[in-house]
Amino acid sequence: LGCAPGAWCQYLRRRMSPAGAATGTLNGTIIGLDLLEMEPIEGVTFIQGDFREDEGLKALEALLPAEAGGKVDLVMSDMAPNLSGVGVADAARMAFLAEIALDFATAHLKPDGALLIKCFNGSGYSQIVEAFKKVFKTVASRKPKASRARSSEIFLLGRNLKPPK
C-alpha cells in the first residue's frame, strides 16, 4: 500500500527470489498499489489507484490469491500523508492511514501474517501502537537504515493476529 516509487517492491522482489535476483523465478505474489505512477518491476503487479476508495480497494482485493481465500502473508504500507507542518493535522492524517491499513490487514492476513506500516514517532504514535496491540500478538518498531537519523519516520510491525473476540 503506497508503493511508489517502488523501492519496497524491489526489496520484496529480491527477498522472494530463490537467488535473490531482480529477475526470474519468484516465490509468491507481490501486488503494489499507489496514487502515483510506478515504473514496472518484473514480478510485481501494480495498480494505480486510491486505496481509500472502493474502486482501488476492489481492484486490489480482486488480485488476492483465491486459493488462500484472499488471505496474504504480509501487508506493507508505506503510505504517508502530504505533510502540512501542522503537527496535530499531520498526526490525524497519519493515524487515518494506519487505521485503514490495519483494517485491511485484519480482513486479509493469514493468522500468522504480518503488517508493516510507516508512521511518525510523535503525536498520535502511541495510539497507533495501542491499536496494533489489540490486533497482533507481537508488536515492534523498526527504523530502517535508509531512514535519516533525525527523521521521525519509523515502521511499526505487527505479527500473528490475535483470535477475534
Side-chain angles (χ1 to χ4, degrees):
L1 309 174
C3 65
W8 278 113
C9 290
Q10 290 172 341
Y11 173 80
L12 289 172
R13 172 71 179 92
R14 285 185 171 86
R15 292 285 302 198
M16 293 173 65
S17 171
T23 61
T25 306
L26 184 64
N27 291 330
T29 302
I30 303 170
I31 305 165
L33 180 138
D34 203 297
L35 291 170
L36 304 174
E37 291 183 46
M38 185 178 86
E39 291 293 321
I41 298 169
E42 183 179 325
V44 176
T45 301
F46 174 67
I47 303 165
Q48 185 173 358
D50 191 339
F51 175 72
R52 301 166 297 177
E53 305 211 354
D54 283 344
E55 186 178 323
L57 180 59
K58 287 185 188 321
L60 175 59
E61 289 175 331
L63 293 173
L64 298 180
E67 68 276 4
K71 301 294 184 182
V72 299
D73 297 305
L74 174 66
V75 174
M76 292 182 72
S77 174
D78 199 22
M79 294 187 292
N82 290 327
L83 299 177
S84 66
V86 178
V88 173
D90 292 340
R93 289 185 188 104
M94 189 75 242
F96 173 70
L97 294 176
E99 179 183 329
I100 62 174
L102 186 58
D103 287 346
F104 179 82
T106 301
H108 295 93
L109 275 178
K110 293 177 181 176
D112 61 345
L115 170 64
L116 181 71
I117 69 163
K118 179 191 330 194
C119 48
F120 300 112
N121 194 353
S123 177
Y125 175 72
S126 61
Q127 289 85 352
I128 296 170
V129 171
E130 287 306 312
F132 264 58
K133 287 181 178 180
K134 289 178 183 173
V135 173
F136 294 102
K137 293 177 185 174
T138 306
V139 176
S141 61
R142 302 281 188 256
K143 180 108 171 138
K145 292 177 187 172
S147 183
R148 284 178 247 122
R150 69 182 194 284
S151 169
S152 66
E153 177 183 87
I154 193 164
F155 284 81
L156 191 60
L157 176 64
R159 293 179 133 170
N160 301 308
L161 290 169
K162 289 182 176 178
K165 291 184 180 183

